[in-house]
Amino acid sequence: MFRQFQILVLTVLTIGTITAQNKKNIHPERPALVVGLVVDQMRWDFLYKYENHYGNGGFKRLLNEGYNFNNVMIDYVPTVTALGHTSVYTGSVPSIHGIAGNGWTDRETGENVYCTTDNSVKGVGSSSEKIGAHSPKNLWSTTITDQLRMATNFRSKVVGVSLKDRASILPAGHNPTGAFWFDEGTGNFVTSTYYMNDLPDWLKRFNAQEVGKQLVSGGWDTAKPIREYIESTADNVAWEQLLGSAATPTFPYKNLASDYDKKKGVIRTTPFGNSLTLRAAEAAIDGYNLGRNTDTDFLVVNLASTDYVGHAFGPNSIEIQDTYIRLDRDLETFFKKLDAQVGKGNYLVFLTADHGAAHAEGYMKENKMVTGFFDEDLEKSLQEDLKTKFGYDKMIWAIDNYQIYLNQKLIAEKNLKENDIKEYLLEKLNKDKRVLYAVDLKELAEAPIPEPIKTRVINGYNWQRSGDIQIISHDSMLPTYAKKGTTHSVWNSYDAHIPLIFMGKGIRKGESAKPNHMTDIAPTLAQILKIENPSGNIGQPIVELLEK
């Protein structure tokens, strides 16, 4: 009997050991965890512009240990946040995946549609339905995160974290473990009933710590002596916006703590929004045991404060430089967390951006560069011209995403000919010195527009959600809402040239200047993970990275 008991114990221990080994990793040749870091509004040149200020553990670690692709372009317009995140993770373009903008104009009603708003769901932990009622219902294609979930029979855990709803929801796909975003009414990370009916305990504990309040408590001063920020313009220039209740756009910003008490959203336009996001991501790693499960897990992280600071102050400001210096330090801390929790060499990180940014109009003007505002009084003057020509008011629903949406309802009711209206508008626009090209989106194939602009317009045109006429402005022409700070949306390199670095398991050190596209990221990950491409994928695997 004792001998039988010994055999039984040994059998149980052996099975337990095998089970533990299997739980550790079913596919040891694959990364235990993939971390996608998308730095919002990060121009490619920021890797090098501030290089002398970076430490060895953040951006330089990526450059020194990873494979760096220096010639990656966005292959569609408009180059905006929702499209960028969606295209990175679908390997597709707006024409196919359906996300035609951060928002777009409904072609039948003229109403604005936000990319992730879903009134059929409720917010979970949110302070308002506007903040909470979101889902990926408008996304038509699968994501690489969807493909990973399906490939492992949904054993793989997928989690999205961002200050922005759209930058968490769209990359995490249709059926993730969870997607979480920031509620500026409470300072908490929240979700919706599309994903779950209650916040997970780990997130409740994280929210209770009030990390955001702690981060802004000391205000915002430069991380290094301000005299060392020689890569940036003066601390107070006319084209910068104000931060919260600050009287001038200058350091130090001592108003943050009191501003945060009144409106938590102020943290977005500081480097501390990135710190908060990475802290939440670390909490998700612990909460879901990411990278320590039977199959590869995937953590989607969007670092959005670079975008908010860039919009407010422009890409040549001390504020944006300090934000990147502080992000570099935050990345070093985050990578150390991954080393400790998942194990160095067990995870894969890729870092890219959803778009870049133009120089501020004031900066360009002061330095004798071509610039201006392409749409100043444009819609008003076109509406007046159309009324004079055709006899009706409000013949344009909106100018959105550099596209003119015609009032299709009015055109149908009055039996007007759409082509006559478009031809009239195109003639007007192509005589406007602010416009480089204006084209009928239904006639793109015949448009006399050079590459790569033509293909990018075609890729960005979604016939159900895009407008009727595409406007391509002259270089460095901004929309009037960016009279201070900056923005992005166009085909030019300052908006379309993005960084891309892979680091970690199976990645050798290297560098390439060969042309690649944003849409190549997802199929490259599919090859690494040995899973099928996303359903709408048009990208190609980056062979240089995959060669042994």
Side-chain angles (χ1 to χ4, degrees), residues 49-330:
K49 183 175 182 179
Y50 308 133
E51 188 174 14
N52 290 336
H53 298 275
Y54 295 150
N56 292 321
F59 288 117
K60 282 186 179 178
R61 178 175 173 183
L62 288 164
L63 291 169
N64 292 333
E65 296 182 16
Y67 206 112
N68 179 25
F69 296 92
N70 285 308
N71 193 16
V72 179
M73 295 289 175
I74 298 174
D75 36 3
Y76 57 80
V77 290
T79 47
V80 296
T81 297
L83 279 65
H85 292 279
T86 305
S87 297
V88 165
Y89 286 90
T90 62
S92 192
V93 291
S95 180
I96 298 169
H97 61 55
I99 303 301
N102 292 333
W104 53 86
T105 300
D106 186 288
R107 293 177 57 81
E108 301 303 320
T109 66
E111 295 179 0
N112 182 261
V113 178
Y114 182 67
C115 59
T116 57
T117 295
D118 183 353
N119 293 324
S120 71
V121 301
K122 302 291 184 182
V124 175
S126 62
S127 60
S128 73
E129 285 310 305
K130 182 179 180 181
I131 290 172
H134 295 277
S135 84
K137 74 168 187 175
N138 288 321
L139 175 59
W140 295 344
S141 298
T142 63
T143 59
I144 190 66
T145 48
D146 285 328
Q147 296 299 141
L148 178 61
R149 291 273 282 166
M150 290 189 285
T152 62
N153 198 25
F154 295 91
R155 292 188 303 272
S156 290
K157 294 180 180 179
V158 170
V159 180
V161 180
S162 174
L163 297 180
K164 297 181 179 181
D165 43 38
R166 58 189 181 272
S168 172
I169 290 167
L170 297 168
H174 294 85
N175 189 14
T177 309
F180 306 100
W181 54 94
F182 184 69
D183 182 345
E184 62 183 29
T186 62
N188 293 334
F189 281 87
V190 300
T191 189
S192 79
T193 54
Y194 179 88
Y195 303 98
M196 57 194 72
N197 292 319
D198 192 17
L199 293 179
D201 289 340
W202 67 264
L203 186 55
K204 290 179 181 178
R205 291 192 296 270
F206 179 80
N207 285 337
Q209 294 173 25
E210 295 189 296
V211 175
K213 184 174 183 177
Q214 297 172 35
L215 288 168
V216 301
S217 62
W220 179 16
D221 203 352
T222 52
K224 306 176 75 172
I226 199 167
R227 67 179 179 275
E228 296 182 18
Y229 288 57
I230 61 173
E231 295 81 6
S232 300
T233 53
D235 192 26
N236 189 358
V237 291
W239 54 85
E240 294 181 338
Q241 297 179 24
L242 298 177
L243 175 57
S245 62
T248 60
T250 54
F251 287 98
Y253 290 99
K254 297 180 179 180
N255 56 299
L256 288 187
S258 58
D259 284 353
Y260 184 84
D261 286 341
K262 299 170 185 174
K263 189 175 181 181
K264 307 298 187 288
V266 72
I267 197 173
R268 297 178 187 268
T269 315
T270 75
F272 309 119
N274 289 333
S275 307
L276 176 62
T277 303
L278 287 170
R279 297 273 189 91
E282 290 173 3
I285 292 171
D286 291 335
Y288 287 120
N289 212 32
L290 298 179
R292 290 160 285 177
N293 298 302
T294 57
D295 297 87
T296 300
D297 296 322
F298 206 127
L299 176 61
V300 169
V301 183
N302 164 237
L303 300 161
S305 284
T306 42
D307 184 63
Y308 289 105
V309 175
H311 275 291
F313 299 100
N316 297 288
S317 61
I318 291 175
E319 283 82 359
I320 200 69
Q321 180 171 355
D322 194 68
T323 297
Y324 275 91
I325 290 171
R326 290 178 178 274
L327 174 58
D328 178 65
R329 297 176 182 183
D330 284 342

Side-chain angles (χ1 to χ4, degrees), residues 5 30 70 78 103 122 148 166 253 263 273 304 324 348 386 399 426 475 489-490 492 544:
F5 177 74
R30 302 176 195 176
N70 285 308
K122 302 291 184 182
L148 178 61
R166 58 189 181 272
Y253 290 99
K263 189 175 181 181
Y324 275 91
L348 171 70
L386 287 171
I399 298 179
L426 289 170
D475 300 0
S489 283
V490 297
N492 306 78
E544 290 169 270

Side-chain angles (χ1 to χ4, degrees), residues 385-392 395 416-417 420-421 424:
D385 289 342
L386 287 171
K387 182 178 180 181
T388 300
K389 176 69 175 177
F390 296 96
Y392 299 102
M395 294 186 67
L416 299 171
K417 292 182 179 180
D420 290 347
I421 299 169
Y424 179 75

Side-chain angles (χ1 to χ4, degrees), residues 300-441:
V300 169
V301 183
N302 164 237
L303 300 161
S305 284
T306 42
D307 184 63
Y308 289 105
V309 175
H311 275 291
F313 299 100
N316 297 288
S317 61
I318 291 175
E319 283 82 359
I320 200 69
Q321 180 171 355
D322 194 68
T323 297
Y324 275 91
I325 290 171
R326 290 178 178 274
L327 174 58
D328 178 65
R329 297 176 182 183
D330 284 342
L331 288 175
E332 180 173 1
T333 302
F334 182 64
F335 293 154
K336 286 180 179 178
K337 171 78 172 183
L338 292 174
D339 291 342
Q341 296 297 101
V342 184
K344 188 174 182 179
N346 290 332
Y347 62 88
L348 171 70
V349 170
F350 70 90
L351 181 142
T352 189
D354 54 346
H355 53 75
H359 294 294
E361 185 269 349
Y363 169 87
M364 294 292 280
K365 188 174 181 180
E366 182 169 285
N367 290 288
K368 301 179 181 179
M369 302 291 176
V370 176
T371 189
F373 299 104
F374 87 94
D375 65 339
E376 197 151 26
D377 295 323
L378 181 63
E379 184 175 347
K380 179 182 177 182
S381 64
L382 290 178
Q383 294 276 31
E384 291 173 352
D385 289 342
L386 287 171
K387 182 178 180 181
T388 300
K389 176 69 175 177
F390 296 96
Y392 299 102
D393 285 319
K394 298 181 180 178
M395 294 186 67
I396 295 173
W397 281 133
I399 298 179
D400 200 0
N401 297 316
Y402 284 66
Q403 297 164 359
I404 295 176
Y405 286 78
L406 296 179
N407 186 336
Q408 299 292 343
K409 184 178 179 181
L410 179 66
I411 290 170
E413 287 176 353
K414 304 301 181 182
N415 293 316
L416 299 171
K417 292 182 179 180
E418 182 180 331
N419 284 339
D420 290 347
I421 299 169
K422 286 196 286 190
E423 286 178 8
Y424 179 75
L425 286 173
L426 289 170
E427 184 178 2
K428 286 280 184 183
L429 289 166
N430 283 313
K431 290 179 180 178
D432 191 321
K433 293 181 179 180
R434 300 169 298 179
V435 175
L436 185 62
Y437 304 106
V439 60
D440 182 346
L441 282 166

